[in-house]
Amino acid sequence: MRVRKLTFAALAVAAGLSLTACNGDDGTAQSDGVSASSGSASDSASASAGSKQAGGTDSTASGSGTDAEADKCRTDELEITASDTTITGDEEGSAAVTFKNGGGHDCALSGYAGVDLKTSEGNLSAERSGQASDPVILKSGESVSFTIAYPLNDSGGSGVRITGLVVTPPNETKSVTLAWPGAATLPVTDGTGSSVTVGPMGSAGQGGAS
């Protein structure tokens, strides 16, 4: 029995020495301390990365667009006028239609306006000239114009009488009817296509505050 008790005592001493070697001076397990520090750094890096990602997304969204936030120009917010711009000696007549932003805030015009001439023979829709049409951000109080080109009636005949001008702003369905400012008549055609063309925004000048 004495031999067995001494063996147990020796094993207990050896186990105690092993635990002391694995612990720090204050008895706290070093492995636990290392694990906690590593976990904190990982959490901090993860939080930092998440914060940067969220900030980048927000920055991109807000920076994408002052211009993108501008609503389209509504017919009711535009002051629409027309004037004759034909120059003596030109082979064709021209008129300018001007949109002035009276809505009190910036608005966007993108594409071509719709243009119809009211004539003694019925409505005549203008065709697009095919020029590139860049979006326009129209600030409050500023104007932009586009051109209507049409053939002059030099045939000597009475021609087709023009009685009015119908204009629809781009991407709108509400139209306005204006007095026609150009020549009184168009030459008679065989009806195979429109002889009137409309240019994009800015085709009658760059516009500007007025």
Side-chain angles (χ1 to χ4, degrees):
M1 292 295 293
R2 185 175 179 82
V3 173
R4 182 174 296 178
K5 288 181 179 180
L6 288 175
T7 302
F8 286 156
L11 288 174
V13 170
L17 291 174
S18 176
L19 287 173
T20 301
C22 293
N23 294 339
D25 294 338
D26 58 357
T28 302
Q30 290 181 349
S31 60
D32 290 343
V34 171
S35 176
S37 174
S38 176
S40 297
S42 175
D43 292 345
S44 175
S46 176
S48 175
S51 175
K52 287 180 180 179
Q53 184 176 7
T57 301
D58 291 343
S59 174
T60 302
S62 61
S64 66
T66 303
D67 290 351
E69 293 172 359
D71 293 330
K72 71 178 181 180
C73 296
R74 302 285 183 177
T75 303
D76 291 338
E77 298 176 334
L78 294 171
E79 299 173 23
I80 305 175
T81 56
S83 58
D84 182 18
T85 54
T86 304
I87 298 175
T88 302
D90 283 354
E91 295 183 356
E92 64 180 4
S94 64
V97 174
T98 300
F99 291 151
K100 182 176 181 179
N101 181 4
H105 57 84
D106 296 357
C107 65
L109 289 168
S110 179
Y112 282 71
V115 171
D116 293 278
L117 296 187
K118 299 177 71 174
T119 78
S120 56
E121 302 296 326
N123 284 3
L124 175 64
S125 296
E127 294 182 349
R128 296 178 179 182
S129 65
Q131 295 170 265
S133 177
D134 296 323
V136 174
I137 300 300
L138 199 59
K139 296 185 180 298
S140 179
E142 288 190 345
S143 302
V144 67
S145 303
F146 65 90
T147 297
I148 302 171
Y150 62 95
L152 295 172
N153 182 19
D154 55 6
S155 64
S158 60
V160 177
R161 185 166 54 91
I162 304 174
T163 61
L165 170 64
V166 181
V167 178
T168 309
N171 302 309
E172 271 285 77
T173 56
K174 185 175 182 178
S175 304
V176 295
T177 300
L178 307 172
W180 172 246
T185 63
L186 294 172
V188 176
T189 65
D190 59 7
T192 57
S194 174
S195 56
V196 180
T197 59
V198 55
M201 295 299 142
S203 57
Q206 295 303 313
S210 56

